[in-house]
Amino acid sequence: MEAELRKALSAVGTILGLIIALYFIVRAAIEPFVIDLSDPSTYQNDWGGPSLAGVLAVHCGPGVLAAVIVVVIVRRARAKADKLR
């Protein structure tokens, strides 16, 4: 029973983690199109502002990090599955 509960909670945690990662990845992909990169007034009051580099780091950085983490986890899972065959 305890093993089943642990497996269920692990699945729920994985799903929630993927949802959050997907949010950050989509946000990172959309951010450069939402702001006018040539007009500092569109992003100077955003988090990370007033510089464009700071705004992109704050808004796109978590998405890039989430994508890297997802890729690493998927590669490890595939390697583990191949090893078990």
Side-chain angles (χ1 to χ4, degrees), residues 1-75:
M1 176 110 175
E2 186 175 317
E4 294 170 358
L5 179 61
R6 186 174 302 224
K7 189 173 181 179
L9 288 176
S10 177
V12 169
T14 300
I15 291 169
L16 287 176
L18 284 173
I19 290 170
I20 292 169
L22 183 62
Y23 167 76
F24 283 134
I25 293 167
V26 169
R27 179 179 172 194
I30 292 174
E31 184 66 24
F33 301 103
V34 173
I35 61 174
D36 184 1
L37 300 175
S38 63
D39 183 12
S41 67
T42 62
Y43 57 80
Q44 68 184 2
N45 294 328
D46 288 351
W47 284 5
S51 71
L52 178 60
V55 170
L56 291 177
V58 169
H59 292 267
C60 297
V64 171
L65 183 62
V68 168
I69 290 171
V70 167
V71 167
V72 167
I73 290 173
V74 167
R75 290 185 70 181

